[in-house]
Amino acid sequence: GSAVPEILVVDDSKVMRDMISACLRPDASFSVTQASSGLEAIERLTMKSFDLVILDLNMPDIGGLEVVEFVRGQDKLRTLPILIVTTRADDDSRERILHAGASQYLTKPFTPEAILAEARALLTTTSSPASPS
């Protein structure tokens, strides 16, 4: 199989999806798929395997946290890295995000460098054997 990491970008805003995709593109070693809702994200995740999900919290149908909970409830998706992007930066939100099982999160607005660095870091973590931190 190809060694190109598959990234699923989920946001109800097309502008945001395109922006995130564009941030990842310079690297060119990623294959990016977009989903415009939590429901679509879940459908895509059940149909094919991804190496990373970049997920917006606030979406009209199924929110980011529900998607995280769904993913963590599936045996084959349990270790899938999830990067949450959110406008909410308070401790309470952070607590909920990480408690739900997200791997990492970024607050909007973020720089292209930041999201690329986070994506790389999360993709590296999974491809190597887990070491106790």
Side-chain angles (χ1 to χ4, degrees):
S2 71
V4 178
E6 298 276 352
I7 301 180
L8 180 62
V9 174
V10 191
D11 200 305
D12 56 324
S13 148
K14 182 174 179 350
V15 175
M16 202 65 208
R17 288 198 309 275
D18 288 345
M19 198 192 103
I20 293 173
S21 302
C23 294
L24 300 172
R25 284 274 188 259
D27 202 87
S29 56
F30 299 136
S31 164
V32 180
T33 302
Q34 296 188 1
S36 60
S37 69
L39 193 59
E40 190 186 341
I42 286 174
E43 279 172 3
R44 290 187 182 281
L45 285 165
T46 47
M47 285 174 354
K48 100 179 237 200
S49 63
F50 288 92
D51 300 294
L52 171 65
V53 181
I54 298 178
L55 183 62
D56 181 37
L57 264 200
N58 309 339
M59 289 180 292
D61 58 348
I62 297 175
L65 286 180
E66 284 90 337
V67 176
V68 173
E69 282 160 4
F70 166 82
V71 167
R72 293 298 174 242
Q74 306 289 308
D75 278 343
K76 66 178 173 60
L77 300 177
R78 196 160 281 148
T79 56
L80 177 67
I82 301 174
L83 173 59
I84 296 275
V85 286
T86 176
T87 45
R88 286 182 262 176
D90 58 287
D91 290 341
D92 189 44
S93 302
R94 186 172 69 208
E95 189 65 34
R96 285 215 315 277
I97 292 166
L98 298 173
H99 184 72
S103 316
Q104 191 53 273
Y105 78 103
L106 269 180
T107 22
K108 298 177 187 176
F110 45 78
T111 63
E113 295 77 27
I115 199 153
L116 191 52
E118 288 294 354
R120 279 217 186 98
L122 287 170
L123 287 164
T124 320
T125 335
T126 43
S127 54
S128 59
S131 56
S133 49

